[in-house]
Amino acid sequence: MSQEILINVTPQETRVAVVENGVLQEVFVERDRRRGLVGNIYKGKVSRVLPGMQAAFVEIGLERTAFLHASDIMSNPNSEPSEEEPKRPPVPPITELLSEGQDVLVQVIKDPLGSKGARLTTHITIPARFLVYMPFTPHVGVSQKVEDPQERERVRRIVQEIAVQTQGGYIVRTAAEGASEEAFRADIAYLVRVWQEIQERVKQAAAGTLVHDDLRLAMRAVRDLVGTDVEKIRIDSRETYAKVTKFVAKFIPQLAEGIEYYPGPRPLFDLYGVEDEIQKALQPKVQLKSGGHLVIDQTEAMTTIDVNTGAFVGHRNLEETIFKTNLEATQSIARQLRLRNLGGIIIIDFIDMDEDDHKQQVLRALEKALEKDHAKMHVSSVSALGLVEMTRKRTRESLEHVLCEQCPTCGGRGSIKTPETMCYEIFREILRESRQFESKIFLVLAAPTVVDRMLDEESNSVAELEAFISRQVRFQVETQYSQEQYDVVPM
């Protein structure tokens, strides 16, 4: 599998695209006016303790107070299933851990999403190329994605020997497979230096202050996304190229040859068809090569994915057609989850299969396709209705929420009332107002589609209404009104 990372930079935003075998897999967007907060460390102040929720609200200098659960407080940090960590004791009551007005060092683990504030932890972690430093946890763990037992033991032994000279503990990242002792020493020296700087800032900072800002997107992409499969990193900004080259020379020298500056006249994302794929990722319908399709519906509560055979008729029988469509859908679903960055509860409605063997093969194919995803996930078995329930950890907004906003006409419903419905609402409003006001004329201001219906299909109804209330009703077209907007003005 060949992988390329494309970095597109403008003064207002930075975008990173991960392309595998010529196909876009992931997109990251960072805007200067609205940068992500995950990884940032703050000196916070507890503003409110909620014993009933086992949580506290912490002021960190943002518009909304951030949320800190008892399980995310230092004595009981969340254990990551992708890493090896010692067993944690039961979570004590929040009132024993925090008090209102207390200063607390916290790190953002989830960006503010919708109406929710940022999610925090006091279990501070600082990532580098090969290691994640945990200053308060004296433990060395190895990512479970490093599967070779001998390699796991080798990297653990090296890090344990070096870690004796420092406080805290480390998690060995997947990228560390095959790394030398010198590389680990360089990472540890860098992490310890960063932690010392943070401690100095904490002493001088006021509560509600940022004390450590994670790297910008371009640097984070190089640090976190680049693995052994990456052949090229192409950057279309000379300034960013210089910064990344300097960063790589210092921390990841083996990547230096793979970084390219792209000065071409054609936009970098157009060259790889990324712009078109981003536009497609904002649409609910996803075409499958066979002729089938997915329908993806993202709501606040959950995301649903419906698999349909569409134009695919198959060659043998119905069960085989359904099975092949579902198998193909697993690959597309895994890609769309990454590309759209869908998180939370996800319900996949596969086409109903009669044979249990087919159900198991589809589930295994889905799990295998999801292995490339670095987000934490849990997938259930196929239910009797052909549904697969799964969760995908959400740390940042989905692509749709980053690039789009709620429709002002439908208010996020995805539908609007018909002109007929609006006519009947206006009739009811005129009746209400006729009982309140003695005016002789009611002027109705509405959208062109609604007024057209009033004067055409509903003209008899309008005449009957005028006779019933003994008043005259006039209409005025307002081109700026949406179909659901109207005003009834007594004159």
Side-chain angles (χ1 to χ4, degrees):
M1 180 184 69
S2 66
Q3 194 179 75
E4 292 181 62
I5 292 178
L6 315 175
I7 302 177
N8 164 241
V9 183
T10 63
Q12 297 80 24
E13 71 174 1
T14 299
R15 299 184 300 170
V16 172
V18 179
V19 177
E20 292 177 3
N21 298 325
V23 179
L24 178 66
Q25 298 293 336
E26 285 186 277
V27 174
F28 302 85
V29 179
E30 180 178 87
R31 291 176 172 165
D32 279 4
R33 292 183 181 178
R34 199 177 66 178
R35 287 186 60 197
L37 305 175
V38 173
N40 288 0
I41 300 173
Y42 294 83
K43 182 178 180 179
K45 182 182 284 289
V46 179
S47 61
R48 195 175 169 200
V49 177
L50 307 169
M53 291 177 64
Q54 270 287 75
F57 286 115
V58 181
E59 182 61 56
I60 59 173
L62 304 178
E63 285 183 25
R64 289 192 295 268
T65 52
F67 182 83
L68 177 61
H69 192 265
S71 61
D72 291 316
I73 295 175
M74 237 314 289
S75 59
N76 290 282
N78 276 347
S79 59
E80 294 290 334
S82 61
E83 317 292 349
E84 294 176 356
E85 291 195 17
K87 192 174 180 180
R88 302 292 173 186
V91 180
I94 188 74
T95 49
E96 293 181 13
L97 300 170
L98 294 175
S99 57
E100 290 185 13
Q102 177 184 342
D103 288 349
V104 58
L105 189 66
V106 290
Q107 185 170 34
V108 177
I109 54 174
K110 191 180 285 188
D111 277 332
L113 300 171
S115 59
K116 299 175 183 176
R119 178 81 181 255
L120 304 176
T121 181
T122 63
H123 182 60
I124 307 298
T125 57
I126 307 169
R129 171 64 178 154
F130 299 124
L131 299 170
V132 176
Y133 181 42
M134 304 177 292
F136 302 124
T137 309
H139 164 72
V140 174
V142 182
S143 167
Q144 288 186 352
K145 290 186 179 180
V146 179
E147 295 176 353
D148 183 356
Q150 291 183 336
E151 179 62 11
R152 292 177 67 81
E153 188 53 38
R154 183 189 75 86
V155 295
R156 188 197 303 276
R157 178 179 48 77
I158 292 173
V159 174
Q160 282 176 334
E161 288 174 359
I162 306 171
V164 171
Q165 304 160 23
T166 64
Q167 287 186 328
Y170 298 88
I171 293 172
V172 181
R173 305 182 72 175
T174 311
E177 203 164 355
S180 65
E181 183 176 337
E182 290 72 22
F184 285 122
R185 287 188 182 277
D187 259 18
I188 289 175
Y190 162 74
L191 290 167
V192 169
R193 189 165 66 248
V194 169
W195 176 236
Q196 287 171 346
E197 290 173 2
I198 291 170
Q199 288 177 302
E200 288 300 316
R201 290 195 198 107
V202 169
K203 291 176 186 175
Q204 301 167 13
T209 305
L210 176 71
V211 293
H212 175 69
D213 194 0
D214 200 10
L215 296 172
R216 289 295 185 103
L217 178 58
M219 309 306 185
R220 290 203 313 273
V222 173
R223 181 192 70 194
D224 298 337
L225 299 176
V226 175
T228 53
D229 297 325
V230 172
E231 292 182 350
K232 231 178 258 180
I233 302 169
R234 306 188 82 176
I235 306 170
D236 63 5
S237 159
R238 193 180 294 277
E239 183 183 350
T240 303
Y241 169 75
K243 288 179 181 177
V244 170
T245 304
K246 187 177 178 183
F247 176 80
V248 164
K250 187 174 182 181
F251 298 109
I252 325 168
Q254 66 272 26
L255 288 180
E257 291 183 6
I259 301 175
E260 290 183 6
Y261 168 59
Y262 174 75
R266 192 176 175 195
L268 179 60
F269 274 24
D270 286 0
L271 195 67
Y272 285 78
V274 172
E275 297 289 8
D276 289 341
E277 288 298 319
I278 291 174
Q279 296 308 314
K280 288 178 186 175
L282 300 176
Q283 302 300 319
K285 194 170 182 178
V286 180
Q287 289 295 148
L288 301 176
K289 288 181 181 178
S290 66
H293 64 268
L294 311 176
V295 177
I296 300 174
D297 187 12
Q298 185 183 351
T299 67
E300 188 171 348
M302 67 178 70
T303 297
T304 59
I305 303 176
D306 187 29
V307 183
N308 298 284
T309 53
F312 181 48
V313 294
H315 301 291
R316 297 175 66 184
N317 55 48
L318 179 61
E319 177 67 18
E320 195 68 24
T321 301
I322 289 171
F323 175 54
K324 286 188 175 178
T325 304
N326 283 339
L327 269 183
E328 184 187 3
T330 60
Q331 304 300 314
S332 185
I333 289 167
R335 175 175 176 256
Q336 292 298 325
L337 293 180
R338 290 175 67 190
L339 181 55
R340 298 172 187 239
N341 190 33
L342 299 172
I345 298 170
I346 298 161
I347 307 293
I348 305 170
D349 184 9
F350 286 108
I351 309 165
D352 290 346
M353 294 170 283
D354 293 330
E355 297 183 21
D356 289 339
D357 183 50
H358 284 174
K359 292 179 183 179
Q360 292 307 313
Q361 285 188 57
V362 167
L363 188 63
R364 284 198 296 271
L366 177 65
E367 290 171 342
K368 185 168 180 59
L370 292 172
E371 286 176 0
K372 298 175 186 174
D373 198 329
H374 36 257
K376 171 185 164 186
M377 281 176 291
H378 172 72
V379 182
S380 74
S381 59
V382 182
S383 73
L385 298 175
L387 301 176
V388 173
E389 299 170 16
M390 63 173 288
T391 59
R392 185 175 185 269
K393 189 172 182 180
R394 175 164 42 197
T395 57
R396 56 190 174 92
E397 293 273 26
S398 70
L399 186 66
E400 182 182 340
H401 286 160
V402 171
L403 302 181
C404 305
E405 65 180 7
Q406 192 179 79
C407 168
T409 301
C410 71
R413 300 197 313 271
S415 60
I416 59 173
K417 295 173 185 174
T418 64
E420 183 182 24
T421 301
M422 294 312 303
C423 287
Y424 300 157
E425 279 195 18
I426 291 169
F427 289 157
R428 289 192 291 272
E429 182 62 24
I430 292 171
L431 281 170
R432 273 194 291 270
E433 296 208 7
S434 70
R435 297 186 184 108
Q436 293 179 302
F437 301 100
E438 296 297 329
S439 52
K440 296 180 180 179
I441 299 172
F442 287 103
L443 177 64
V444 176
L445 291 75
T449 52
V450 177
V451 173
D452 286 348
R453 184 165 184 104
M454 284 285 198
L455 299 176
D456 193 358
E457 290 99 322
E458 304 297 339
S459 56
N460 288 339
S461 301
V462 173
E464 289 173 4
L465 178 66
E466 288 179 321
F468 181 76
I469 64 174
S470 302
R471 319 277 177 86
Q472 191 178 353
V473 179
R474 292 180 182 172
F475 299 95
Q476 180 176 315
V477 171
E478 290 293 332
T479 55
Q480 298 301 313
Y481 277 25
S482 73
Q483 193 160 286
E484 292 190 352
Q485 276 183 288
Y486 68 87
D487 288 302
V488 177
V489 183
M491 297 179 69

